[in-house]
Amino acid sequence: MDNWIDVPLQEMEPPAVFFNPHEINVSVGDTFALNLYVLQVENVAGVHLKVHYMRESLQFLDSVEVGELFIDAYDHDPPLFFWDATGSYLDIYSFYLATDERTYSSGTASIATAYFKVKNAESGDMDIIYKRPETRMVTPDNQPITIKTYGIAKINVN
């Protein structure tokens, strides 16, 4: 019951966005996966996650995998999912198209998994964060969902 992964989640007020793992120990040259999650969302139909990382020290590997939040809840055509990396930012978009079928999801699940490589340790330890107010969620009626807590991923370079 004392799972170190759950500690940051217990301190978050939902709905929230967070990273898993929330702390990563790496060396220069290492590659790592970072899962981007939503916590206890209700009736979410679209998500835009804007992630800021230190481009001087981390290389985004042009690889993002779709998460399970919208995929697991949808029986027919998958939702739209795309991403873009510009400068020190990774933008991930995932949303349902308006149809007669179910067009929202609820719960705690990943939106995506992104892959990075440590280029150098000049910056020492660093954080990967969600940029506000660009990180956002909306209902099927395109009404904003207030994100109450934003998690951080701490990258510890050995």
Side-chain angles (χ1 to χ4, degrees), residues 90-103:
L90 172 61
D91 289 284
I92 296 174
Y93 303 86
S94 188
F95 54 92
Y96 287 115
L97 293 175
T99 66
D100 292 336
E101 302 292 325
R102 180 176 173 181
T103 57

Side-chain angles (χ1 to χ4, degrees), residues 14-151:
V17 290
F18 68 97
F19 298 100
N20 184 23
H22 67 275
E23 187 170 355
I24 301 171
N25 296 310
V26 291
S27 298
V28 173
D30 286 353
T31 298
F32 64 91
L34 188 61
N35 299 300
L36 291 74
Y37 271 81
V38 294
L39 175 69
Q40 296 180 15
V41 296
E42 295 293 329
N43 302 326
V44 64
V47 175
H48 171 205
L49 303 176
K50 187 165 192 90
V51 176
H52 180 261
Y53 62 96
M54 294 189 69
R55 187 172 151 193
E56 303 80 27
S57 299
L58 296 176
Q59 174 187 359
F60 170 64
L61 294 179
D62 288 332
S63 181
V64 177
E65 296 173 359
V66 66
E68 69 267 359
L69 180 69
F70 294 135
I71 297 297
D72 288 350
Y74 206 66
D75 296 331
H76 305 297
D77 296 326
L80 285 177
F81 177 84
F82 60 96
W83 57 270
D84 181 48
T86 306
S88 293
Y89 294 98
L90 172 61
D91 289 284
I92 296 174
Y93 303 86
S94 188
F95 54 92
Y96 287 115
L97 293 175
T99 66
D100 292 336
E101 302 292 325
R102 180 176 173 181
T103 57
Y104 65 90
S105 290
S106 299
T108 298
S110 71
I111 297 296
T113 301
Y115 295 87
F116 295 88
K117 181 175 184 176
V118 181
K119 295 192 307 190
N120 66 60
E122 291 176 15
S123 303
D125 296 344
M126 62 201 95
D127 293 340
I128 297 178
I129 62 169
Y130 289 104
K131 185 149 173 50
R132 305 175 211 186
E134 291 89 344
T135 293
R136 52 184 248 132
M137 294 183 276
V138 295
T139 67
D141 297 326
N142 203 31
Q143 295 301 309
I145 296 171
T146 301
I147 300 171
K148 295 183 179 175
T149 310
Y150 294 80

